[in-house]
Amino acid sequence: MSNGLLARIEVPGRLAADVEAGAGEVLAVIGPNGAGKTTLLTALAGLVDMTGHVEVGGRSWTDPPLPVRDRRVGWVVQGQALFPHLSALDNVAFGLRARGVRRSEAAERAQAWLDRLGVGPLSGRRPGALSGGQAQRVTIARALVTEPDLLLLDEPFSGLDVGVAAALRIELAAHLADFAGVTLMVTHDALDALTLAQRVVVLDDGRVAQSGTPADVAAHPRTDHVARLVGLNVLAGPDGFTAFRPQDVTVSTARPEGSARLRWQGRVSGLTPHGDAVRVQVDTRSSAGTDLLADVTPEATAELALVPGAEVWLTVKATAARTYDRGPDLRDSP
Amino acid sequence: MTRGLGRPPLVLLVPAGIALTLLLVPLVSLLVVTPWARLPELVASEEVLDALRLTGLASLSTVVVCLLIGTPLAWVLARVEFRGRSVARALVTVPLVLPPVVAGVALVSALGRSGVVGSVLRDATGVVIPYTTPAVVIAHTFVAMPFYVLSVEGALRASGERYDAVAATLGATRWTTFRRVTLPLAMPGVVAGAVLAWARSLGEFGATVTFAGNYQGITQTMPSLIYQTLQNDRETAQTLSIILLGVSIGVLALLRNRWLNAGGTTGAGA
């Protein structure tokens, strides 16, 4: 994997993580707020002090430490980070000019990238005159035009309208497929991870909680955060994790008959529409150790008088639940 | 538009009126008593022309010196972490509160003929600074620079290091980043600071007279000339004051739009 990324990053009190990815791969970084996702990106870019090592494309960035400007990174931060006083074209040409490319050639290459991202006609506009989606396209062009070895995307679609984000996601997938370097993408969206990434790293409290292919991580969540992202209930038990879908949960107001092992009591803490069903969030922390989700029909919601605070019982058939073990080595899981 | 909130109370209106009167009466009086007929003749006199020329030269030189050395100082204070940064920042503000005549005495102590630096300079090169035009610019810069540095530093800190970081990831050196990103983004603060420094220099009197003296054509600026004339010819002093007032108001009017636009983000020096 000498052409890819190989890193061990420690930022005291914030992050201690091993990360690796092959050349051309997209690695999604997911996890709750404060898990260290952005710290991971800024450490790779060289913007925060860290210990450990970073190797990209067979070259060490940490031994000796390489200043930010000599690391070949493309950085797409959340929100607006375009230079407000420069036109879209000058923003994109900035990195080429800074690296000594002649003015005319830099303008030509910048224009070509703006064209590829569908914002070529807007090259003369300043960021203030661009919509959020257009500005993000310019930002991506600015990151890619310098042909970085490592592309860092920090929530590239946050703050965009749903339709705009969807269109940009499809386009970005096409550009990433052509991209020879390594891409790290921080995201809050399971869809980003599933559609754009070949590998997923789950960060929790500054550590890697899980890594693997998107399908594997989605099917076997090991943290509440990922379980919520993919819409699964996940319970941690002594011999592993138990996962089941909200639509397989039965809700009743009376104590259920029989001696089902998968049975919990709690209070309704929230109700939200979910497709044709109603997704009921139940505070079962005392019996299950975490909140659980159940999907019920609107009729059943009315019949059972499910309102916040109502006492309910939840049961799941053993055949609807999957159990998997904790996975001893997180780093090398496929 | 505030009618629904009731009448403004007298307890606020009366002091407000007194304040406005205090500000307006001297200026109006000056306009009333000035012998306007003598204005053209006075403006054409050699003494006044010399003072006007020197005032313009000194105030513009002060702005240029502030731009050349004040901007880097503001950048260092805003962007470089070093021991004693807060002390340095506090020192920059000292000339703001220092009585100008004290500033003049301090400059004499440092750069005067027998001053700490001045005596060494004289022995080594024969150069003597006091009572020269450069001395005027040095005195003006000493009192005006804090206004400039504080204004620019405020603007630099408001624009934040975020763009600096982005520029670095794009391969820019700090110098390139300063030229192409940091400084352009801080431009409203630079303009506001330059105006403040210029205005402070235009009216400077105490430090200049103490350190550079009051010699026609060499160190006599308009404020010094007005003060000297006031001793024995009040009418002329009033007319000269009108000229300086006109220049100040003219420049203020020219820059007013810029001022108002920039005021929201770069009021640090004001």
Side-chain angles (χ1 to χ4, degrees), chain A residues 69 80 82 85 95 99 142, chain B residues 162-163 166 168-170 180 184:
Chain A
R69 69 171 182 274
Q80 278 277 17
L82 290 172
H85 61 297
R99 291 193 162 99
R142 181 174 69 173
Chain B
R162 172 179 162 84
Y163 294 113
V166 173
T169 65
L170 289 168
R180 296 207 49 211

Side-chain angles (χ1 to χ4, degrees), chain B residues 24-36 238 242 245 249:
Chain B
L24 278 182
V25 165
L27 291 180
V28 171
S29 309
L30 188 60
L31 289 174
V32 169
V33 301
T34 296
W36 292 92
Q238 285 163 341
I242 281 291
L245 182 69
I249 289 178

Side-chain angles (χ1 to χ4, degrees), chain B:
Chain B
M1 56 185 167
T2 56
R3 197 171 295 257
L5 299 177
R7 295 166 64 90
L10 281 181
V11 70
L12 292 180
L13 279 183
V14 170
I18 293 173
L20 195 60
T21 308
L22 186 67
L23 293 175
L24 278 182
V25 165
L27 291 180
V28 171
S29 309
L30 188 60
L31 289 174
V32 169
V33 301
T34 296
W36 292 92
R38 286 186 56 206
L39 196 64
E41 163 212 344
L42 259 176
V43 170
S45 82
E46 198 185 333
E47 199 177 34
V48 174
L49 283 178
D50 275 348
L52 272 176
R53 183 183 55 76
L54 199 65
T55 302
L57 177 74
S59 59
L60 290 180
S61 304
T62 300
V63 169
V64 169
V65 173
C66 283
L67 290 170
L68 289 180
I69 64 177
T71 312
L73 176 57
W75 183 84
V76 168
L77 290 177
R79 286 292 194 278
V80 183
E81 277 180 37
F82 58 95
R83 283 167 62 94
R85 175 161 74 164
S86 51
V87 176
R89 201 177 273 144
L91 283 176
V92 168
T93 62
V94 167
L96 283 182
V97 293
L98 205 63
V101 66
V102 176
V105 172
L107 284 166
V108 170
S109 314
L111 297 170
R113 218 166 247 283
S114 52
V116 176
V117 180
S119 58
V120 178
L121 192 67
R122 192 187 48 167
D123 293 346
T125 64
V127 173
V128 174
I129 293 176
Y131 311 112
T132 62
T133 304
V136 177
V137 176
I138 290 173
H140 285 207
T141 305
F142 184 83
V143 296
M145 182 105 77
F147 290 94
Y148 180 80
V149 171
L150 290 182
S151 172
V152 175
E153 195 211 341
L156 288 174
R157 295 218 280 173
S159 71
E161 294 195 67
R162 172 179 162 84
Y163 294 113
D164 289 23
V166 173
T169 65
L170 289 168
T173 61
R174 293 204 90 170
W175 171 237
T176 302
T177 304
F178 174 81
R179 274 190 305 120
R180 296 207 49 211
V181 178
T182 316
L183 192 59
L185 288 177
M187 204 39 89
V190 171
V191 172
V195 171
L196 285 169
W198 180 83
R200 179 67 187 83
S201 166
L202 193 72
E204 165 49 30
F205 170 67
T208 314
V209 161
T210 313
F211 179 53
N214 196 355
Y215 301 108
Q216 185 191 337
I218 301 169
T219 70
Q220 187 173 67
T221 58
M222 281 296 280
S224 309
L225 176 62
I226 291 169
Y227 182 76
Q228 184 193 315
T229 314
L230 190 63
Q231 315 290 322
N232 37 34
D233 182 356
R234 187 193 289 186
E235 267 199 351
T236 306
Q238 285 163 341
T239 316
L240 294 174
S241 300
I242 281 291
I243 296 171
L244 203 52
L245 182 69
V247 172
S248 319
I249 289 178
V251 170
L252 193 65
L254 265 172
L255 293 163
R256 190 170 168 77
N257 286 330
R258 199 68 196 239
W259 253 119
L260 286 179
N261 293 342
T265 50
T266 58

